[in-house]
């Protein structure tokens, strides 16, 4: 299976986000990728990025999702698009899964919010698996995957071959530009992604923004913890990676004795 990870710039508006989404989707489709994942809260953008307040309205978000569905169908590629979303009276941080046909398959909510996000969203309460072209996968969003490994293990115990990991970490104004993936000088995020793959024996595919000072690169990590490929730090673009689902056995996740920790 060929998967793609997008590293877009911070969206200036919801329309700017859709523009970059379409551009990067076309780049991934040109390399025969079957699915592409974008970073956390990509539409309209993570809070504080500078988009207009009305871009967070239910109407604008629905229109953007409709456009994403059209883009998926026109390019015959599945899309994981993280969005703010109004659902049952709550504003959630979610990641929609859109099939290559343009059909919305559902969404995964962010269920473990960072303490700084309590005023941005309400936490979701459910987890689910998705399937594209016969490959099962889960989605874990940013903070909950970095600090709550159970969110990834849940998918691995249910035969997910890969967990997509949209997140946001970095800045365009201050920080350090990393030089080597997984370096001891880097923030811990890439190391956490490696561990989520190893401790569950599955693939992890993380997508981050292409900021000037990113905390982590968009990357694909194999079930043995090896980084197969990562984006260049700060570069806007797409990486496409072929994975072998048969290597993602979920062995270690399934050996976890859940009953001991209830």
């Amino acid at each position: 299976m060929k998967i793609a990870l997008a590293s877009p710039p911070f969206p200036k508006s919801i329309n700017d986000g859709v523009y970059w989404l379409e551009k990067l989707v076309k780049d991934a489709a040109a390399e025969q990728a079957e699915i592409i994942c974008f970073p956390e809260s990509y539409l309209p953008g993570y809070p504080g990025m500078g988009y207009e307040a009305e871009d967070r309205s239910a109407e604008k978000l629905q229109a953007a999702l409709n456009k994403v569905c059209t883009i998926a169908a026109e390019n015959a590629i599945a899309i994981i698009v993280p969005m703010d979303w109004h659902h049952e009276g709550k504003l959630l941080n979610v990641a929609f899964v859109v099939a290559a046909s343009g059909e919305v398959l559902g969404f995964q909510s962010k269920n473990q919010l960072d303490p700084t996000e309590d005023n941005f969203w309400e936490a979701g309460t459910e987890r689910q698996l998705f399937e594209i072209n016969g490959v099962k996968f889960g989605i874990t969003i940013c903070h909950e995957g970095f600090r709550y490994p159970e969110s990834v293990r849940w998918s691995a115990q249910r035969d997910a071959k890969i967990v997509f990991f949209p997140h946001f970490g970095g800045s365009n104004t201050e920080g350090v530009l990393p030089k080597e993936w997984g370096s001891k000088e880097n923030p811990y995020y890439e190391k956490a992604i490696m561990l989520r793959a190893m401790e569950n024996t599955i693939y992890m595919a993380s997508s981050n923004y292409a900021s000037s000072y990113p905390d982590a690169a968009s990357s694909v990590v194999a079930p043995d913890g090896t980084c197969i490929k990562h984006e260049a730090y700060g570069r806007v673009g797409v990486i496409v990676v072929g994975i072998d689902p048969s290597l993602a056995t979920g062995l270690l996740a399934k050996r976890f004795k859940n009953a001991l920790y209830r």
Side-chain angles (χ1 to χ4, degrees):
M1 185 181 197
K2 276 192 173 184
I3 66 171
L5 299 174
S7 299
F10 294 159
K12 299 173 184 176
S13 66
I14 196 167
N15 289 335
D16 184 54
V18 172
Y19 165 82
W20 280 104
L21 181 142
E22 183 168 22
K23 183 179 188 305
L24 297 176
V25 163
K26 288 182 176 180
D27 291 345
E31 295 188 52
Q32 287 78 52
E34 296 165 65
I35 186 169
I36 182 172
C37 180
F38 284 79
E40 177 185 19
S41 194
Y42 180 62
L43 297 177
Y46 194 87
M49 285 184 177
Y51 57 83
E52 296 294 330
E54 65 179 23
D55 281 354
R56 233 182 177 198
S57 70
E59 294 75 19
K60 284 213 168 188
L61 291 168
Q62 182 65 62
L65 179 59
N66 293 344
K67 179 61 176 176
V68 173
C69 292
T70 299
I71 293 169
E74 289 177 348
N75 293 278
I77 183 173
I79 301 173
I80 298 174
V81 55
M83 300 180 68
D84 288 3
W85 196 250
H86 298 269
H87 180 70
E88 297 180 347
K90 301 177 180 180
L91 182 64
L92 303 179
N93 176 328
V94 308
F96 274 100
V97 178
V98 180
S101 63
E103 176 190 1
V104 175
L105 301 183
F107 67 72
Q108 176 59 61
S109 58
K110 187 175 186 178
N111 300 336
Q112 293 278 174
L113 299 179
D114 184 274
T116 63
E117 297 172 338
D118 287 342
N119 294 327
F120 295 159
W121 301 288
E122 292 192 55
T125 59
E126 298 180 5
R127 305 211 69 81
Q128 61 177 309
L129 290 183
F130 302 90
E131 186 171 329
I132 293 290
N133 297 344
V135 177
K136 292 181 180 180
F137 63 91
I139 299 171
T140 294
I141 302 173
C142 199
H143 173 78
E144 60 181 0
F146 288 128
R147 298 177 181 91
Y148 297 90
E150 296 84 358
S151 65
V152 176
R153 185 178 288 122
W154 184 94
S155 296
Q157 288 188 328
R158 289 160 177 78
D159 296 323
K161 301 299 183 181
I162 183 168
V163 167
F164 287 94
F165 197 8
H167 66 281
F168 163 55
S171 169
N172 275 342
T173 58
E174 59 183 3
V176 176
L177 183 66
K179 297 178 180 178
E180 179 185 3
W181 194 93
S183 168
K184 66 184 179 63
E185 307 299 331
N186 293 2
Y188 83 100
Y189 301 105
E190 290 167 345
K191 303 174 188 70
I193 295 164
M194 177 182 70
L195 287 171
R196 295 298 88 81
M198 293 177 66
E199 67 199 11
N200 292 293
T201 330
I202 61 168
Y203 289 95
M204 291 292 293
S206 65
S207 176
N208 191 17
Y209 291 91
S211 61
S212 299
Y213 307 104
D215 287 339
S218 297
S219 52
V220 179
V221 180
D224 65 357
T226 303
C227 180
I228 302 173
K229 189 173 185 178
H230 67 83
E231 182 58 272
Y233 293 110
R235 188 185 86 96
V236 173
V238 168
I239 59 170
V240 176
V241 177
I243 66 168
D244 180 355
S246 69
L247 299 179
T249 62
L251 175 64
L252 295 181
K254 293 171 184 176
R255 285 179 60 84
F256 182 78
K257 298 178 181 180
N258 296 290
L260 294 179
Y261 303 95
R262 285 176 184 159

